[in-house]
């Protein structure tokens, strides 16, 4: 469900790195490479002045921009794509095993949930999958964090040890 084949669900990844520093270059690049194996579209939200890692779109925000500003800037890059889900991946989460992310995507897409995350993860500091039909809620309720969208739409929790 994660390939670029037209019969599969198209996934986008938005890496939220608006508070990245020079020390984060390698982590951001590794996140992009992982995201490329999972998604048809990769957007990286970076502080102004940063260059986009290869094979990604970039959205620039003011250094230290609030999380919702980074989310809005990144999601705007997806408006003309056929992506049905966006995986919001904050820099705070660091590099996450691609197989783990794929398990999240597959499980949430199979259940057709609006919001999905791993059971033990904090919604504001870990990868969260958002269905396209919930993107407007994310853009309008996001001031209250992703938790505000989850409260409205519900959140499908995926067991971390699921196979």
């Amino acid at each position: 469900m994660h390939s670029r084949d037209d019969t599969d669900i198209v996934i986008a990844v938005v890496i939220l790195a608006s508070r990245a520093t020079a020390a984060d270059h390698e982590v951001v690049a590794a996140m992009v490479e992982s995201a490329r194996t999972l998604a048809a579209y990769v957007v990286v939200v970076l502080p102004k002045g940063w260059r986009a890692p290869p094979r990604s779109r970039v959205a620039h925000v003011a250094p230290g921009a609030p999380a919702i500003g980074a989310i809005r800037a990144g999601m705007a890059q997806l408006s003309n794509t056929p992506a049905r889900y966006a995986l919001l991946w904050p820099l705070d989460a660091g590099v996450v095993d691609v197989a783990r992310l794929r398990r999240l995507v597959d499980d949430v897409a199979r259940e057709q949930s609006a919001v999905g995350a791993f059971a033990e993860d904090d919604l504001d500091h870990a990868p969260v999958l958002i269905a396209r039909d919930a993107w407007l809620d994310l853009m309008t309720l996001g001031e209250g964090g992703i938790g505000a969208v989850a409260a409205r739409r519900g959140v499908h929790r995926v067991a971390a040890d699921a196979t």
Side-chain angles (χ1 to χ4, degrees):
M1 291 190 169
H2 46 270
S3 75
R4 293 172 213 203
D5 187 302
D6 288 337
T7 61
D8 288 340
I9 294 174
V10 179
I11 303 297
V13 174
V14 179
I15 297 171
L16 303 169
S18 63
R19 295 189 169 151
T21 67
D24 296 316
H25 277 282
E26 288 183 25
V27 172
V28 171
M31 290 170 77
V32 168
E33 284 308 306
S34 291
R36 291 295 311 151
T37 67
L38 183 70
Y41 302 93
V42 177
V43 177
V44 185
V45 182
L46 294 166
K48 289 180 181 170
W50 274 54
R51 295 184 69 203
R55 301 175 352 125
S56 66
R57 297 178 183 200
V58 68
H60 285 112
V61 294
I68 188 57
I71 290 169
R72 287 175 177 152
M75 297 298 289
Q77 295 288 315
L78 302 175
S79 61
N80 290 324
T81 70
R84 290 199 33 215
Y85 284 91
L87 178 71
L88 303 179
W89 186 357
L91 181 61
D92 291 351
V95 177
V96 178
D97 181 65
V98 174
R100 186 172 199 259
L101 293 175
R102 187 167 287 125
R103 195 168 59 243
L104 175 66
V105 167
D106 289 347
D107 194 74
V108 171
R110 182 178 51 255
E111 295 296 319
Q112 298 182 359
S113 305
V115 179
F118 284 107
E120 74 282 1
D121 285 351
D122 176 303
L123 295 178
D124 289 318
H125 297 94
V128 175
L129 196 65
I130 308 284
R132 189 173 195 105
D133 67 350
W135 290 3
L136 181 59
D137 287 347
L138 180 63
M139 301 300 268
T140 57
L141 298 173
E143 297 293 338
I146 295 171
V149 178
R152 181 175 195 167
R153 294 288 194 131
V155 60
H156 175 72
R157 293 293 189 155
V158 176
D161 61 355
T163 55

